[in-house]
């Protein structure tokens, strides 16, 4: 049942009931056999279909934008100086070969952690938000980002979201990367794009104009909103880059389909700032609606997350909750390996 007294600025309004069995822990094969809920704003109608039929619902002459970030094997297991076990999750590079990470358990400034392949990390700062700043070394040599990525991809694990409730497996190396993943830097996949097969991508490319941009998805994407008022939430920032070809497309006065929330935020950040590179910390919600993106293809998101608030920035809070309620009733699969929705 729809709640009464919904306030789009209150975090509690974005809660919904989700049976545990609807959380997808594995993808479907082929990828485009996943269900797709299509919401047409002009007619206020919901259609149930599959990703295979995506093109039947897209308006003509669209500029389509995809995120070509690539997921790093960002989770590594090692030992503290005391010999106790530890786990580190790489989040993002900072200046001067310093890196923001998350570390399980207590560490202090100056703590050293040891991993396979003679990799070690020295904690140089403790942040209030729980993240840590570290320097990485191999055989006493401080590591730059490119070298670090190579080592992480040898010894690390894909950081599957906690709600999948399982360790990563060999299949995830293929399943948890998009077909067009190119630029290493993400700790989570841009999941709306995991539904594409080569055939579906080819069809899209034949009928529309496909463009790529990069936003490296950070761990902050899963962070629940703790503030009672959504506008008091400190939005996480993620590195983005818009290449020249995509910039030309963005400047055109054509209808735009963003595949995923990361693409949406990047385009909308550009539309507001004209920046084509840097840190994107844009928080889209009913008080800050999209001004450039016309259509959105996305997965179903966590309750009380900034991502479900982004959906509400397109279609309003009531409609968002109504669609999510429908998706639960129709047994759609939720979150990263789950089904999707298209807003036209």
């Amino acid at each position: 049942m729809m709640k009464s007294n919904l306030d789009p600025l209150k975090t509690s309004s974005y809660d919904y009931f989700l049976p545990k069995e609807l959380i997808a822990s594995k993808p479907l094969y082929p990828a485009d056999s996943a269900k797709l809920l299509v919401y047409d704003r002009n007619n206020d109608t919901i259609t149930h279909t599959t990703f295979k039929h995506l093109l039947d619902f897209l308006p003509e002459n669209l500029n389509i934008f995809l995120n070509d970030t690539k997921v790093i094997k960002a989770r590594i297991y090692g030992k503290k100086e005391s010999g106790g076990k530890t786990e580190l999750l790489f989040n993002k590079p900072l200046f001067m070969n310093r890196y923001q990470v998350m570390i399980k358990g207590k560490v202090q400034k100056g703590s050293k952690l040891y991993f396979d392949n003679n990799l070690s990390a020295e904690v140089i700062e403790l942040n209030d938000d729980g993240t840590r700043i570290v320097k990485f070394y191999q055989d006493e040599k401080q590591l730059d980002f490119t070298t670090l990525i190579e080592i992480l991809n040898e010894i690390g694990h894909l950081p599957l979201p906690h709600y999948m409730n399982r360790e990563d497996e060999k299949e995830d190396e293929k399943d948890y990367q998009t077909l067009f993943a190119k630029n290493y830097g993400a700790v989570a996949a841009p999941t709306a794009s995991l539904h594409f097969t080569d055939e579906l991508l080819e069809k899209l490319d034949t009928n529309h104009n496909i463009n790529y941009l990069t936003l490296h998805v950070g761990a902050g994407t899963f962070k629940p909103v703790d503030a009672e008022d959504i506008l008091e939430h400190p939005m996480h920032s993620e590195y983005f880059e818009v290449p020249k070809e995509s910039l030309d497309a963005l400047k055109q006065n054509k209808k735009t389909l963003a595949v995923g929330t990361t693409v949406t935020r990047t385009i909308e950040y550009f539309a507001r700032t004209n920046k084509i590179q840097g840190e994107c910390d844009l928080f889209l919600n009913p008080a800050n609606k999209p001004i450039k993106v016309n259509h959105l293809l996305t997965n179903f998101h966590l309750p009380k997350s900034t991502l479900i608030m982004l959906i509400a920035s397109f279609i309003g809070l009531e409609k968002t909750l109504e669609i999510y309620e429908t998706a639960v009733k129709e047994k759609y699969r939720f979150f990263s390996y789950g089904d999707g929705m298209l807003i036209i």
Side-chain angles (χ1 to χ4, degrees), residues 14 16 162-163 221-222 300-305 308 324 335:
Y14 294 87
Y16 66 89
H162 60 91
Y163 46 69
T221 193
F222 301 115
F300 291 96
H301 305 291
L302 292 160
K304 298 185 183 177
S305 64
I308 192 173
Y324 271 58
F335 308 155

Side-chain angles (χ1 to χ4, degrees), residues 18-33:
L18 180 67
K20 275 202 167 61
E21 64 270 18
L22 295 185
I23 299 174
S25 67
K26 295 272 175 89
L28 296 178
Y29 303 108
D32 61 3
S33 63

Side-chain angles (χ1 to χ4, degrees), residues 137-329:
Y137 298 87
Q138 189 180 44
D139 300 323
E140 306 301 312
K141 182 177 178 259
Q142 197 180 337
L143 299 178
D144 61 26
F145 183 53
T146 312
T147 317
L148 176 62
I149 297 297
E150 285 171 10
I151 297 169
L152 290 178
N153 283 333
E154 276 175 30
I155 69 170
H157 295 261
L158 277 173
L160 295 183
H162 60 91
Y163 46 69
M164 284 194 197
N165 229 358
R166 65 178 179 85
E167 292 297 312
D168 62 316
E169 296 165 9
K170 193 74 190 149
E171 290 79 16
D172 294 306
E173 292 186 20
K174 191 160 180 277
D175 294 337
Y176 200 59
Q177 298 281 19
T178 64
L179 291 174
F180 40 82
K182 190 171 81 171
N183 300 310
Y184 274 119
V187 300
T191 54
S193 295
L194 296 180
H195 299 289
F196 290 115
T197 56
D198 288 317
E199 189 189 359
L200 181 55
L201 213 48
E202 206 174 296
K203 270 192 203 163
L204 265 190
D205 203 20
T206 306
N207 291 277
H208 298 281
N209 176 24
I210 288 187
N211 309 275
Y212 295 93
L213 45 78
T214 307
L215 181 131
H216 292 319
V217 194
T221 193
F222 301 115
K223 196 177 183 329
V225 177
D226 293 327
E228 204 173 298
D229 181 329
I230 68 168
L231 301 182
E232 285 170 14
H233 175 68
M235 189 64 181
H236 60 285
S237 72
E238 293 158 319
Y239 179 80
F240 78 97
E241 209 167 309
V242 180
K244 185 179 180 318
E245 315 81 77
S246 301
L247 182 61
D248 294 342
L250 277 177
K251 287 178 176 172
Q252 292 168 4
N253 199 18
K254 270 170 81 170
K255 293 277 189 202
T256 300
L257 168 71
V259 178
T261 56
T262 58
V263 172
T264 306
R265 290 176 55 239
T266 306
I267 293 174
E268 290 295 326
Y269 189 71
F270 165 77
R272 289 158 168 76
T273 64
N274 250 357
K275 290 182 179 170
I276 57 167
Q277 187 182 15
E279 292 282 324
C280 170
D281 62 355
L282 181 66
F283 180 16
L284 291 168
N285 58 67
N288 187 21
K289 296 178 179 182
I291 57 176
K292 173 70 179 164
V293 176
N294 310 98
H295 309 290
L296 172 64
L297 180 64
T298 186
N299 280 24
F300 291 96
H301 305 291
L302 292 160
K304 298 185 183 177
S305 64
T306 57
L307 304 181
I308 192 173
M309 293 165 189
L310 181 147
I311 307 305
S313 77
F314 277 84
I315 58 176
L317 172 60
E318 281 85 355
K319 185 52 72 175
T320 301
L321 292 174
E322 184 191 315
I323 285 173
Y324 271 58
E325 204 173 276
T326 303
V328 169
K329 203 168 80 188

Side-chain angles (χ1 to χ4, degrees), residues 78-90:
K79 289 188 172 162
K80 298 180 181 177
E81 288 171 288
S82 62
K85 287 182 180 174
T86 189
E87 178 186 326
L88 180 148
L89 178 69
F90 172 92

Side-chain angles (χ1 to χ4, degrees), residues 102-135:
M102 294 166 99
I103 297 170
K104 232 184 198 161
K106 270 194 173 161
V107 287
Q108 294 167 336
K109 207 170 164 176
S111 292
K112 290 195 173 141
L113 309 172
Y114 300 94
F115 306 94
D116 290 345
N117 287 26
N118 291 338
L119 179 70
S120 63
E122 181 188 356
V123 180
I124 55 173
E125 273 176 58
L126 309 175
N127 294 335
D128 293 341
D129 64 0
T131 59
R132 311 296 182 221
I133 311 298
V134 303
K135 289 178 180 174

